[in-house]
Amino acid sequence: MEEKVVYIAGMGLIGASLALGIRRQHPDYKILGYNRSDQSRQIALERGIVDEATADFKAFAPLADVIILAVPIKQTIDFIKVLAQLDLKENVIITDAGSTKLKIIQAAEKYLPADKVQFVGSHPMAGSHKTGAIAANVHLFENAYYIFSPTRLTREETIPRLKDLLLGLKARFIEVEAAEHDLVTSQISHFPHILASALMEQAGDYANGHELTNHFAAGGFRDMTRIAESEPGMWTSILLSNSDAVLERLTDFKNRLDAVAELIGQKDEEAIWHFFDAGRRKRKEMEIHKRAGVDSFYDLFVDVPDEEDVILQILELLRGTSLVNVHINEENRDDINGILQISFKSESDLLHAQTLISQHTDYHVYLD
């Protein structure tokens, strides 16, 4: 790829992590950054995430061969309008990192000159409840889907050149039409965030009269509501930019809840069993257990006995290894071991951990 100057607007988790991935594969490229917040700009400069940073979006745009808009959706559309008025490099590639695609692409096709710029919609399907440049992680996108949505401004060479630029992310590149992207993400991303926040609101209100709710909220409730900690401004923007699809999913879910409520009211034991069995089977069939999606982790499982300091012993072996999460899958039977689940972001850390634990313990270690 000939491009040497990359301009990333937005030094949050996504933008700063993109910069780290680009620098890993292309250390000779000059990376420029924009961020309104002084703190994120300073962190990005101190950590070497970018070579230069500005609070004026227009300042670096004419210098760039590639411009990545890693800002909220409404701001992305506003920046597209600004770029349309600037004297940019000929054939500059412009892309975004938004969680919805159709409205962004419609804006790009409306305002950007097709004879002067290239544009393709992008969505790196990775994230965290952590925010800002301080949370940047070069491993964030490894094995996650990185979606490209072509537009009328996408040329034959646009996506291949972006793939080369982003090779250091170690992501799984895929092309999806914008409308289909927004429909699918309304189901597997946007609606679940509504559900998680609604569950937290319900539980919080319930705890006012039942204090133990706050103390017993663990296990499944914890896993289902983790994403409720996500940044509210971003999710407001996402829902409003994909409102029709999200509302349709909400209506569908209400109908499903009503159907389950009717089964419970009728005390239809067989139908309720089939309801849970269908959910269990469908989850096993989905790619949730494979290396793709928003939370693309490598999971290691260790059968551990119920003995003091076992978990600490294993974690001590992994000192210096980057962990994403540690979870104990407790069993209800006394005659079998519990299962320690350790999640990693990179395959190298996973294999290293597997070797260490296997060499220094006699516990059964296996991969998902």
Side-chain angles (χ1 to χ4, degrees):
M1 184 174 180
E2 298 177 357
E3 283 76 19
K4 299 296 182 183
V5 180
V6 181
Y7 182 28
I8 301 177
M11 287 288 101
L13 170 70
I14 299 299
S17 297
L18 286 172
L20 289 175
I22 292 170
R23 192 176 295 285
R24 174 162 64 176
Q25 186 68 25
H26 301 285
D28 55 326
Y29 284 12
K30 186 173 186 179
I31 302 178
L32 308 175
Y34 157 85
N35 207 82
R36 186 174 56 184
S37 157
D38 292 340
Q39 182 180 19
S40 283
R41 285 202 314 276
Q42 191 62 33
I43 291 171
L45 287 168
E46 289 175 353
R47 290 185 55 186
I49 295 172
V50 297
D51 298 298
E52 299 178 39
T54 181
D56 178 9
F57 172 67
K58 297 179 182 179
F60 290 155
L63 307 176
D65 299 289
V66 177
I67 299 173
I68 301 174
L69 304 176
V71 292
I73 294 165
K74 185 177 183 298
Q75 191 175 8
T76 295
I77 293 173
D78 289 341
F79 279 177
I80 286 173
K81 296 176 184 178
V82 172
L83 291 173
Q85 305 301 317
L86 298 179
D87 184 19
L88 304 176
K89 281 188 177 181
E90 188 174 356
N91 295 323
V92 60
I93 295 178
I94 303 173
T95 190
D96 72 296
S99 297
T100 62
K101 295 273 63 77
L102 196 55
K103 289 191 181 297
I104 291 174
I105 285 176
Q106 288 172 342
E109 292 180 339
K110 179 178 180 180
Y111 296 107
L112 295 175
D115 59 329
K116 295 181 179 179
V117 306
Q118 305 174 58
F119 184 89
V120 61
S122 298
H123 180 195
M125 293 193 70
S128 168
H129 62 279
K130 299 178 181 179
T131 60
I134 196 169
N137 186 344
V138 72
H139 303 297
L140 183 66
F141 306 104
E142 289 185 9
N143 306 293
Y145 281 121
Y146 198 108
I147 294 174
F148 294 114
S149 293
T151 76
R152 291 201 298 269
L153 285 73
T154 303
R155 305 177 191 173
E156 184 177 353
E157 71 272 16
T158 307
I159 293 177
R161 293 171 75 182
L162 277 176
K163 287 181 179 179
D164 179 81
L165 174 70
L166 301 171
L167 201 60
L169 304 182
K170 300 184 180 180
R172 299 175 63 181
F173 300 119
I174 185 173
E175 294 184 33
V176 180
E177 292 298 321
E180 180 66 11
H181 168 277
D182 288 0
L183 289 174
V184 171
T185 53
S186 73
Q187 173 64 62
I188 52 89
S189 178
H190 308 162
F191 170 69
H193 276 80
I194 297 173
L195 183 58
S197 292
L199 280 171
M200 286 308 311
E201 182 180 22
Q202 182 191 46
D205 290 344
Y206 200 65
N208 291 330
H210 304 275
E211 186 179 351
L212 288 176
T213 302
N214 290 327
H215 300 287
F216 291 171
F221 185 86
R222 175 198 58 214
D223 294 340
M224 289 182 68
T225 57
R226 176 184 57 82
I227 55 176
E229 296 185 23
S230 299
E231 204 281 312
M234 179 185 75
W235 281 99
T236 300
S237 178
I238 289 171
L239 295 185
L240 293 179
S241 68
N242 199 24
S243 56
D244 289 346
V246 171
L247 286 172
E248 191 278 331
R249 291 292 82 201
L250 280 169
T251 299
D252 179 86
F253 196 75
K254 289 176 184 177
N255 293 336
R256 293 175 186 273
L257 287 180
D258 288 341
V260 175
E262 186 173 351
L263 295 178
I264 296 172
Q266 295 171 349
K267 294 183 169 43
D268 190 336
E269 181 177 352
E270 182 178 358
I272 294 171
W273 185 92
H274 282 293
F275 166 75
F276 283 114
D277 184 58
R280 179 183 62 84
R281 287 187 288 104
K282 288 174 182 177
R283 191 177 193 279
K284 287 181 176 293
E285 293 169 0
M286 291 184 72
E287 284 201 2
I288 293 172
H289 299 285
K290 299 182 181 179
R291 312 205 198 290
V294 175
D295 293 313
S296 299
F297 304 145
Y298 287 87
D299 290 326
L300 181 73
F301 298 88
V302 187
D303 288 342
V304 292
D306 183 15
E307 297 176 1
E308 188 175 355
D309 294 338
V310 168
I311 308 302
L312 289 177
Q313 174 194 3
I314 293 175
L315 294 180
E316 183 63 31
L317 289 173
L318 301 181
R319 182 186 292 273
T321 304
S322 180
L323 308 181
V324 174
N325 194 21
V326 176
H327 178 66
I328 301 173
N329 299 321
E330 298 172 324
E331 297 287 349
N332 294 324
R333 291 169 50 192
D334 294 331
D335 60 335
I336 61 176
N337 294 337
I339 301 173
L340 177 64
Q341 178 179 347
I342 310 174
S343 300
F344 305 87
K345 196 61 183 178
S346 70
E347 185 178 18
S348 58
D349 283 339
L350 172 82
L351 297 177
H352 178 62
Q354 182 185 27
T355 299
L356 284 175
I357 299 172
S358 297
Q359 287 179 345
H360 293 88
T361 75
D362 57 359
Y363 307 140
H364 180 211
V365 183
Y366 53 100
L367 309 181
D368 186 11

